[in-house]
Amino acid sequence: MTTTTPARTTARMAALVSEIRRVVDRGLAPDLTAYLVGERLAPHLGTPDLLTEGQREGHPDRYRQHILHTEPDGSFSVVALVWLPGQETSIHDHVSWCVAGVHEGAESEIRYRLAPAASPTAPARLVATEQVVNGQGDVCGFAPPGDIHKVRNSCRTTAISLHVYGADVARLGSSVRRVYPEPVD
């Protein structure tokens, strides 16, 4: 995953950041914050004036991360992920609450939960709980725990999604807290 700095912010992105700031500044519980940020993000998805041309560029080898905004106090970041056909994440969870909305294309998501170990010496194991396809305009939000998933571009064209994280992604480099191995059963 690569990280880029935006060449400029569009007027629509500046308005979205302002809306997100008003929600985050309320200091609500993470799950409620994610829900309310998702409500603010949804109307902007699919609009042609949200991203610059450079912020829509992918990478031939892996999905590409464009950091669009990081709040000066580190309370949230807005990121565009650009996926070429077939590109995917590993199974992972996050350092904070997150909201993701599909701006263009479609993304398949497999959600997981950690099941208790079968014995005291065995590790916990991942169990797939849900498979969803998120199309343009779809928004989902979550807060740890319960945020383990894998995401893949499931369409034949470029997919772009907007993610808002309750963390300073520019400082951290990513929103990923842990990466999990693929389940074997």
Side-chain angles (χ1 to χ4, degrees):
M1 175 170 59
T2 56
T3 303
T4 61
T5 304
R8 66 178 179 86
T9 297
T10 66
R12 181 177 288 276
M13 180 58 65
L16 174 58
V17 166
S18 181
E19 292 174 40
I20 294 167
R21 183 178 298 120
R22 283 194 293 276
V23 170
V24 172
D25 284 351
R26 293 172 65 185
L28 302 170
D31 56 343
L32 182 54
T33 298
Y35 176 81
L36 293 172
V37 167
E39 284 187 331
R40 299 329 183 265
L41 176 61
H44 297 277
L45 296 172
T47 59
D49 58 342
L50 184 61
L51 301 173
T52 67
E53 204 54 42
Q55 294 163 347
R56 301 172 50 82
E57 291 177 2
H59 187 282
D61 299 328
R62 60 194 173 277
Y63 70 94
R64 186 171 189 181
Q65 173 180 274
H66 295 275
I67 298 176
L68 307 175
H69 175 81
T70 301
E71 193 67 358
D73 67 1
S75 60
F76 72 92
S77 301
V78 182
V79 175
L81 296 182
V82 181
W83 317 72
L84 300 182
Q87 292 178 338
E88 64 185 11
T89 68
S90 57
I91 300 171
H92 64 281
D93 63 7
H94 300 86
V95 298
S96 70
W97 60 265
C98 174
V99 174
V102 178
H103 182 61
E104 181 179 301
E107 296 173 356
S108 297
E109 179 184 17
I110 303 173
R111 298 175 184 165
Y112 298 88
R113 68 174 174 81
L114 278 175
S119 73
T121 58
R125 60 188 177 85
L126 283 178
V127 175
T129 59
E130 187 176 16
Q131 292 187 5
V132 296
V133 175
N134 298 305
Q136 183 177 336
D138 289 340
V139 175
C140 61
F142 45 81
D147 62 324
I148 303 170
H149 68 162
K150 178 178 186 170
V151 182
R152 179 177 190 277
N153 176 350
S154 59
C155 61
R156 295 182 189 165
T157 61
T158 298
I160 301 173
S161 51
L162 273 287
H163 298 244
V164 183
Y165 301 107
D168 185 340
V169 174
R171 183 179 60 79
L172 298 173
S174 169
S175 70
V176 173
R177 177 174 40 165
R178 286 181 295 228
V179 173
Y180 298 85
E182 291 282 337
V184 291
D185 52 349

